[in-house]
Amino acid sequence: MRKFLVILDDSRECLNAMRFAAMRAAKTGGGVTILSIIPPEEFNHWIGVADLMREETRERIVAHYEVFAKWMRDRQGVEPDLVIREGEAVHEILSQIREDPEIGVLVLGAGTEKSGPGPLVNAMSKQAGYLPIPMTLVPGEMSKEKLESVT
């Protein structure tokens, strides 16, 4: 089975990337892996405080994931997997791709800010020529109807 790897974060464009991945998976008989990455600097505190913050962050990620997972199950008939990793985003994305041979496409949402499509898209674009799989960029301003027509 080919799986679409999509990144769960707090960006606005994440929604379109999730929609695209779920719609493509539903139409191609594929799956979706949702990856959330906790940056290493998030927990530079005393051990007890860091452990509590880590747990709270994981709970927030799972709650955020459940919103997308419910939509994917109910609307697209797709049951996504959730993977939470800690570390630097590009490294963790590349590691996930290497560790899961079923991942066939990386799906990223492109932001619409004047500064560019976003730090993750910028960083992954620099790696694009070396990726073992294709990368799909989904415009953050693309309408739901347009997404449905292209998937």
Side-chain angles (χ1 to χ4, degrees):
M1 173 174 61
R2 177 178 73 167
K3 292 194 283 188
F4 294 85
L5 177 63
V6 63
I7 310 305
L8 173 64
D9 59 22
D10 293 327
S11 68
R12 286 186 38 223
E13 56 271 14
C14 172
L15 175 61
N16 270 0
M18 291 286 173
R19 285 178 176 157
F20 180 88
M23 289 177 194
R24 288 295 303 143
K27 290 185 179 169
T28 62
V32 174
T33 295
I34 297 174
L35 174 61
S36 184
I37 303 163
I38 302 170
E41 66 274 0
E42 187 109 353
F43 305 118
N44 288 338
H45 303 284
W46 296 307
I47 292 173
V49 175
D51 290 342
L52 179 61
M53 290 177 66
R54 181 175 284 110
E55 185 58 35
E56 288 174 352
T57 299
R58 287 179 174 273
E59 288 173 6
R60 181 181 50 79
I61 289 168
V62 169
H64 199 181
Y65 159 79
E66 284 300 332
V67 171
F68 288 113
K70 180 175 179 3
W71 178 85
M72 288 183 187
R73 284 189 295 268
D74 294 351
R75 294 288 181 94
Q76 302 300 324
V78 172
E79 182 65 49
D81 299 319
L82 173 63
V83 176
I84 302 172
R85 298 180 75 118
E86 292 184 34
E88 190 274 320
V90 172
H91 174 76
E92 296 305 327
I93 292 168
L94 295 174
S95 294
Q96 185 65 33
I97 291 168
R98 278 192 301 273
E99 292 169 17
D100 188 345
E102 291 185 341
I103 293 174
V105 178
L106 171 62
V107 179
L108 298 176
T112 58
E113 303 297 318
K114 291 181 182 179
S115 59
L120 186 56
V121 171
N122 285 336
M124 289 307 299
S125 293
K126 292 176 183 170
Q127 301 292 320
Y130 304 101
L131 288 174
I133 61 173
M135 179 171 59
T136 299
L137 298 178
V138 183
E141 289 294 320
M142 187 175 257
S143 71
K144 190 172 89 171
E145 295 75 27
K146 184 69 174 174
L147 276 171
E148 289 172 351
S149 74
V150 300
T151 58

